[in-house]
Each structure stands twice: as C-alpha cells, then as structure tokens.
C-alpha cells in the first residue's frame, strides 16, 4: 500500500510539474511572439526619446550650430552595441561614436577616452559603468542615462565624470525612465525628489546620493519589491514613504555636514605641506612660453600641422605618423591622437567658457615627449659633439665643464617593445672643475651663458691644449659618479614619494569597488543556486553569476599586480648626453685683452660680502616672523626660501650683496625667469655692505 501511495504521489507530482512546465513554455512562447512583433515594428520608445532629444534639444548644439559632445550611459553591453549602431546611422558618421565597456583592455579604454576628449570628430561617447570611475570626461557637459542603475551610487559616479572641479559649463543630465512600469514609477518618483532636493540644497545633493539608504533596504530591493507587489495600494504607499524618508531634507543636510567635516580634517592636516610642494614646483617650472616656442617649431619641422585658434590655445590638425609611432613604441599614455581640437601650454588657458576644453601640453605629455624623442633621433649627434660657452657674469679665471646627464626612473612594467616603462626622465647639469670639485649646476644654467665667438676659438684651443684634466673619459666618470650619488638618488626619492601616494589611493579605490561587485555576484550566485535547488528556473543561472564573480576577481588580481609593478621603482644608471666647456669672462679678458668687455669685478672680498649680505637677509626674515632657509648652493634662481609659519606660503629671495657705493647690480636670465614664474612671491634683496 505504501508503494502504491508513493507511486500515485509521484505521478501527481509529475503531472503538476508537467502542467507548470507547459504553462511556463506557453508564457515563454507568448513573450517570444511579443518580442518578435516589437522587433518587426521597429518601435523603441527609449530610442525615440533619445533621438528626439538629439534633434530638438537646444543644449545639443552651440551658438554656431555645431553639435556638442555627449556622454550616454547604459547598463548592458548589448544595449551599448545597439546604441553605437543606431547613433552612427542617425548622425551619418559611425566614426563620430566612441564606446567604452568592460570588455576593453585598460589601454584601449584610455585610448577611447583620449579620442573623445581631443578629436573634434568624436561627438558621442556610449559607455557602460566601466567609464563610471577613474575617467575624466569633463570635455563634455551633457549626459544621458539611457538605462538607470539599481545602485544610486552609480548615478553619482556617472555624473561625476562631467560635473567636476574645473568644469566651466553648466552640466545637463537626462534620465530616460520607462513610464507605466512599476520599476519606472519608483525611479521617476526618486528622480523627482532628487531634483527637488537638489534645488533646495543648491545642487549639493549629488555629492551624497551614493550614501542614500531606504530603511534597511537598497534601491535594488526597493525596485524588486515594486515589481513583485503589483499595484497594491498599501505597497505603493510603503514605497513612497521609503523614498520620502531617504530624501528628507534634514537627513541630507546631516550627510552634507558630515562630508564637509571630513574634508576640513583633511585640509588642516595636509594643506600646508601640499601648498609648499606646489609653491616650489611653480617656482622651478619651465616657463610655458619656452615650452610653447620649442614645441611649435619642432612639431612643424617634423611635419605637424598646428595653428592658433584663441590666444595661447592651438588646434592640431595633423600629428605625423613618425611622432605617433614613437609614442606607441615607447608605450606612452594616453595614446596619441591624429588630431587635437585644442592644446595649450598654460594652465590658465585650459578651460575658457564657451570654448572647447584644451589638452595641457607640458613635460610628461606624450605629444611633447614623442616630439622630443623624434627630434633627438634626428639630431642627438649634435649634443655629442659638444660646444664652448661663455659665462659673462663670472669674473674668475677658472674654466669648467658643464656635463648634461640624463637621469631616468623606471617601474616594474614593460613597454610593448620589451623595454622598462619610463616613469620620469630628467636632464641634470653637473659642473666639473680642474681641482676635482663637482657641483649641481641647477635646472638650466646654460640660459645664463653665451656662445663663444669664432674669432676667439683659436686662442682658447691653444691655451687649453695641454689641459690634462679635460680628458673625455675622466670627465665622464666624474660626472656619472656625482650624478649617481646625488642627483639620481634625489630624483628617485622624489618620484617614489609622488608615485606611491598615487598608487596607494588607486589601490584603495579599485579594491573597494571591485570587492563590492565580487561580493554582490557571489551572493547572487548563492541565491540563484538555492532557487535552482527549489526547482525554479531563474533568468540568470548560478553558473553565469559565479563566472561573473570569478571574472571580477581575476580583474582585481590583475589590476593589483599592475599597481604593484608601478610601485617597483628604480633609477637606471645615469647617461652622459652631452657637454660644454664653460669659460668665465675673466679668463677671456686675460686671454685676449680688449676682445671682450671685462665683467663687473665688484669688491675684492666678494665671498665675504656675499656671506654678510646673506646673513643680513636671514636675520631680517627671522625678525619679521618668517622661517628662512639658505638654498644658494642649489642654483634655483633665488638664494633664500622663506616660509610664513601662519599660512605655509613661501617667499623666494634673490640676495645681491655690494660694497656701499657700488653702482651695478646684475640679475641673470635664470633669476628673471624664476621671478616670472612666481611674480608675487619672488623678491630681490639688495644689501649694502660697509667696510
């Protein structure tokens, strides 16, 4: 009897499962017919709204009628491919569409980002949330969320790609929500409340949208609940209440206040050291007009096409293949574009209201670095030949040799050609004297020197023909030993301090974001597996969810390995790039009297006068409440760096000591250039020294 009962029960169960399966299959067939009918009709409400927005919204074009750049975010790769195809057809130019998605390698993402920012023909970027973090899309100020994420934190991340410090245009964001759907109703209400809160709080609500909570539930849970509950009035009222609580004005103000307090703590602990570092960098930087004049001349000589569009801002319409190939072989990032809508050499000209955002070209930018590499490949032999220079302000009789030493810092990554990845390349200058002394000549000593006239060369060569210390091999060994011991080590420490701080910040952000995603998909895989064990057939099976978690874990591991390689810094042995014999004006005056004007000799006790002047300036700064430091030996373009303890701001003081009654003060070219870098912080102190 028991066996018979079990048989009847099993038969009934099978019939029940068969009936459920047939009902499920019938529903699937019905959905397939509906999907086929929708596809046949070609009607897509979302696409229709987007295309109308592109055609009719006045924000989409500028005053001249040209189309502005636009970012379109979507959730899924299939939707991205669909939009890329339809947008390319709509504009009639498939090349105007750029795509970024999770399937792209990091290098390809950077290339797509660079093209969207710099190529005037790249008008629309279609992206999944792979572009939601770590990418600056500030070149655009228009954004459309074609699909809305189920995590409000992603809304903040997406909008933060265009709405960021330095953006000069008002940012517009359109969210496409499917009406007459339960999910759409919840999101529409949420967006309405967000818009109202943003208006009440001056737009700041988007600073904390990622921290919103809906009681004990996430937005995802809220949306699923809306779908499951149907049109139940009680359920709709509960959902409305959850949104009202999450966007309560007092709660939002508390979140904003907490964030402001956190920023204040950061400022008070680090602002002074950061300000000092920025001040020093500004004082020692190359003047933008020197970089500009060098680049424009070199770039045009190499076949590049560039023209000025606005004052200090240029359009590059052609980057020669030689320069692009040099950048690719060297593994420079971001990859070079064939053209740039705007470039500039001055930070103040990057963002000009009403004009395209300009790419800032400075040392380290691949466009400048690749141009230099090609130029050196063509003309590096000129450095190797050497030259003779004259120091017109030096009254001494002691020639010296100025050696150009290339100093390179690499990390643990490899370039496409197998060579180490170069993090920083610097040209240092070492001066060598006959008595064995070596010293750091400063960042650009040659700017204070002049070429030797051809009429004096025979006399100079005859006078120095028997100078045994001017042997090339001996000079090279001395310069390299000094550079390795002092300059290379300081360069490595400077780069290490800057790089490790950046790498650690990226490591924290990447780990936090990917760990969140991995945990989410692990949890989803476990939930789906339980549903499968219960006989259900979820839309996404547990194997695919687990594969997604494993894929993200592999991506995290690979990214952390890459960051570890970036943090493994080392200095390559320095290399001599060239040299010049530097002759003081006093030496030439003795060698050929009357041929050159004698320099201003000053008092006989020059060293003593300078020391007295320095002591007087240091004492005066301390008496005024500053913290001065003698940096005259570093040849920086000033002698004293004086810190204001109250603000951390620095003063740069060039000290000129003269015996009372002297009528001449000489300011060198390097000193003038330094004063132009920081005109409000550079001071010339003239000290009269008595007997």
């Amino acid at each position: 009897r028991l066996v018979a009962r079990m048989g009847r029960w099993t038969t009934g169960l099978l019939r029940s499962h068969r009936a459920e399966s047939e009902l499920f299959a019938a529903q699937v067939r019905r959905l397939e017919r509906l999907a086929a009918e929708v596809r046949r009709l070609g009607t897509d409400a979302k696409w229709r709204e987007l295309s109308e927005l592109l055609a009719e919204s006045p924000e989409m074009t500028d005053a001249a009628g040209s189309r502005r750049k636009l970012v379109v975010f979507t959730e899924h790769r299939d939707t991205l491919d669909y939009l890329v195809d339809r947008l390319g057809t709509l504009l009639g130019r498939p090349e105007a569409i750029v795509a970024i998605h999770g399937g792209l390698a990091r290098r390809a993402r950077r290339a797509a980002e660079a093209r969207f920012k710099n190529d005037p023909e790249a008008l629309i970027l279609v992206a999944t949330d792979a572009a939601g973090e770590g990418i600056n899309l500030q070149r655009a100020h228009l954004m459309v969320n074609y699909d809305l994420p189920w995590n409000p934190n992603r809304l903040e991340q997406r909008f933060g790609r265009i709405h960021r410090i330095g953006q000069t245009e008002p940012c517009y964001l359109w969210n496409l929500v499917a009406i007459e759907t339960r999910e759409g109703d919840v999101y529409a209400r949420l967006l309405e409340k967000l818009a109202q809160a943003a208006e009440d709080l001056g737009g700041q609500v988007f600073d904390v949208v990622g921290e919103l909570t809906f009681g004990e539930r996430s937005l995802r849970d809220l949306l699923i609940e809306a779908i499951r509950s149907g049109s139940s009035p009680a359920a709709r009222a509960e959902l409305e209440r959850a949104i009202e609580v999450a966007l309560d004005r007092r709660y939002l103000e508390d979140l904003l206040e907490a964030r402001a307090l956190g920023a204040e703590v950061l400022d008070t602990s680090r602002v002074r050291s950061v300000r000092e570092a920025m001040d020093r960098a500004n004082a020692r930087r190359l003047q933008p007009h020197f970089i500009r004049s060098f680049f424009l001349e070199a770039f045009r000589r190499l076949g590049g096409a560039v023209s000025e569009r606005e004052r200090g801002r240029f359009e590059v319409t052609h980057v020669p293949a030689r320069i692009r190939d040099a950048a690719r072989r060297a593994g420079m990032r971001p990859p070079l574009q064939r053209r740039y809508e705007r470039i500039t050499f001055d930070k103040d000209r990057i963002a000009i209201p009403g004009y395209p955002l300009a790419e800032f070209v400075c040392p380290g930018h691949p466009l400048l670095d690749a141009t230099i590499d090609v130029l050196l490949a063509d003309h590096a032999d000129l450095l190797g030949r050497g030259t003779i220079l004259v120091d017109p302000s030096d009254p001494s009789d002691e020639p010296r040799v100025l050696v150009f030493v290339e100093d390179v810092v690499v990390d643990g990554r490899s370039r496409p050609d197998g060579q180490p990845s170069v993090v920083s390349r610097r040209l240092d200058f070492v001066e060598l004297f006959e008595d064995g002394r070596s010293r750091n000549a400063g960042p650009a000593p040659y700017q204070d020197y002049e070429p030797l006239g051809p009429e004096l060369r025979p006399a100079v060569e005859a006078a120095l023909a028997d100078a045994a210390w001017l042997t090339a091999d001996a000079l090279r060994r001395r310069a390299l030993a000094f550079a390795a011991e002092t300059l290379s080590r300081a360069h490595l420490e400077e780069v290490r301090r800057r790089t490790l701080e950046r790498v650690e910040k990226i490591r924290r952000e990447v780990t936090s974001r990917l760990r969140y995603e991995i945990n989410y998909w692990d949890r989803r895989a476990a939930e789906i597996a339980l549903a499968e064990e219960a006989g259900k057939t979820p839309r996404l099976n547990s194997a695919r969810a687990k594969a997604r978690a494993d894929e993200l874990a592999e991506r995290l591991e690979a990214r952390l390995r890459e960051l570890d390689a970036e943090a493994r810094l080392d200095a390559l042995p320095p290399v001599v790039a060239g040299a010049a014999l530097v002759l003081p004006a006093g030496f030439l005056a003795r060698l050929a009297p009357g041929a050159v004007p004698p320099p201003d000799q000053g008092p006989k006790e020059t060293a003593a006068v300078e020391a007295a002047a320095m002591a007087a300036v240091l004492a005066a700064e301390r008496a005024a409440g500053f913290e001065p430091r003698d940096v005259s030996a570093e040849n920086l373009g000033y002698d004293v760096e004086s810190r204001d303890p109250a603000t951390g701001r620095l003063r740069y003081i060039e000290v000129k000591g003269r015996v009372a009654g002297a009528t001449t003060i000489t300011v060198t070219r390097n000193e003038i250039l330094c004063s132009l870098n920081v005109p409000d912080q550079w001071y010339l102190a003239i000290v009269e020294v008595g007997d």
Side-chain angles (χ1 to χ4, degrees), residues 20 102 106 141 234 240 308 368 387 494 523 533 551 608 622 630-631 633 661:
E20 288 182 3
R106 189 163 175 265
H141 64 277
E240 180 80 13
E308 189 168 16
L368 175 62
T387 189
E494 176 187 334
R523 185 173 67 253
E533 290 176 5
E551 176 191 344
R622 293 190 188 100
D630 184 351
V631 294

Side-chain angles (χ1 to χ4, degrees), residues 7 14 21 85 130 194 203 251 362 412 464 481 518 528 538 556 629 686-687:
L14 289 174
S21 297
D85 180 61
L194 276 173
Y251 172 65
C362 61
L464 298 176
I518 292 167
I528 294 170
L556 174 60
R629 185 168 66 94
I686 302 174
V687 183

Side-chain angles (χ1 to χ4, degrees), residues 78-257:
D78 289 344
T79 310
L80 179 143
D81 293 338
Y82 167 78
L83 288 174
V84 167
D85 180 61
R86 299 210 67 167
L87 287 168
T89 302
L90 178 68
L91 298 185
R93 289 184 292 158
E95 68 278 4
I97 315 302
V98 181
I100 295 179
H101 52 79
L104 290 179
R106 189 163 175 265
R107 186 187 298 271
R109 292 188 205 184
R110 294 300 184 192
E113 175 193 357
R115 179 167 178 260
F116 178 70
K117 289 163 61 176
N118 295 301
D119 189 346
E121 299 299 322
L123 297 175
I124 300 179
L125 171 67
V126 185
T128 63
D129 281 311
E133 290 185 7
I135 294 182
N136 180 359
L137 303 177
Q138 195 177 21
R139 173 62 184 84
H141 64 277
L142 309 177
M143 179 179 290
V144 172
N145 277 322
Y146 193 82
D147 295 321
L148 292 170
W150 283 18
N151 180 351
N153 188 42
R154 290 186 179 176
L155 278 177
E156 178 186 9
Q157 292 168 356
R158 290 177 178 182
F159 198 47
R161 298 308 95 212
I162 65 170
H163 187 260
R164 54 200 296 138
I165 294 173
Q167 176 63 266
T168 61
E169 301 292 334
C171 293
Y172 293 87
L173 171 63
W174 291 267
N175 294 297
L176 302 185
V177 181
I179 61 173
E180 297 180 357
T181 66
R182 296 159 191 164
E183 174 188 348
D185 288 344
V186 173
Y187 232 127
R189 183 58 180 156
L190 174 63
L191 292 171
E192 288 173 6
K193 294 294 293 182
L194 276 173
Q196 182 60 51
E199 184 177 343
D200 294 342
L201 299 172
Q204 296 183 74
V205 68
F206 286 98
D207 296 340
V208 293
V209 69
E211 300 174 42
L212 296 179
T213 58
F214 304 88
E216 299 297 323
R217 293 165 293 180
S218 66
L219 177 61
R220 177 182 179 278
D221 294 336
L222 205 67
L223 292 170
I224 291 176
E225 186 176 334
I227 295 169
R228 288 175 175 170
S229 63
S231 56
S232 165
R236 294 178 67 88
E238 175 61 22
L239 294 173
E240 180 80 13
R241 188 195 66 79
I243 293 174
E244 292 287 343
V245 171
L247 290 167
D248 176 71
R249 176 164 181 164
R250 178 166 295 181
Y251 172 65
L252 292 174
E253 288 174 342
D254 289 343
L255 285 178
L256 289 168
E257 183 178 355

Side-chain angles (χ1 to χ4, degrees), residues 443 634-639 653-654 668 670-672 674-675 682:
E634 300 179 35
N635 297 311
L636 300 173
Y638 51 89
D639 296 316
I653 306 173
E654 172 61 29
T668 68
N670 266 320
E671 291 161 357
I672 293 173
C674 182
S675 73
W682 193 92

Side-chain angles (χ1 to χ4, degrees), residues 240-404:
E240 180 80 13
R241 188 195 66 79
I243 293 174
E244 292 287 343
V245 171
L247 290 167
D248 176 71
R249 176 164 181 164
R250 178 166 295 181
Y251 172 65
L252 292 174
E253 288 174 342
D254 289 343
L255 285 178
L256 289 168
E257 183 178 355
R259 173 165 289 197
L261 288 173
E264 185 177 348
V265 170
L266 175 65
D267 288 344
T268 55
S269 63
R270 298 188 57 190
V271 68
R272 290 186 181 178
S273 60
V274 171
R275 178 179 290 168
E276 287 184 26
M278 292 177 64
D279 275 354
R280 292 191 184 98
N282 283 333
R284 301 175 190 180
R285 68 186 173 124
L286 281 173
Q287 272 289 331
H289 64 265
F290 279 109
I291 299 173
R292 179 180 65 192
S293 59
F294 164 79
F295 173 80
L296 295 178
E297 178 68 20
F299 189 69
R300 286 169 176 146
R301 285 190 178 215
L302 295 174
V306 57
S307 55
E308 189 168 16
R309 293 304 183 197
E310 301 91 35
R311 187 170 65 86
R313 292 161 51 89
F314 301 81
E315 180 182 9
V316 177
T317 54
H318 173 61
V319 177
R322 287 187 66 199
I323 296 178
R324 286 185 276 115
D325 290 343
R328 185 173 59 253
R329 288 194 304 270
M332 295 180 183
R333 299 180 185 180
L336 284 189
Q337 304 302 304
R338 294 177 179 272
R339 57 186 300 178
Y340 288 82
E341 189 169 13
R342 291 294 185 275
I343 66 169
T344 186
F345 307 90
D346 192 333
K347 284 186 177 180
D348 295 336
R349 312 294 299 173
I350 294 176
I352 304 292
Y355 292 95
L357 198 70
E359 186 81 352
F360 181 47
V361 176
C362 61
H365 191 284
L367 185 60
L368 175 62
D369 288 357
T371 299
I372 292 173
D373 284 354
V374 174
L375 198 68
L376 287 175
D378 290 348
H379 305 293
D381 60 308
L382 296 178
L383 282 175
R385 296 179 194 175
T387 189
I388 302 177
L389 302 174
V390 177
D391 183 353
S393 65
D394 186 355
S396 74
D397 191 24
E398 186 180 14
R400 57 188 184 272
V401 174
L402 180 68
V403 183
F404 320 145

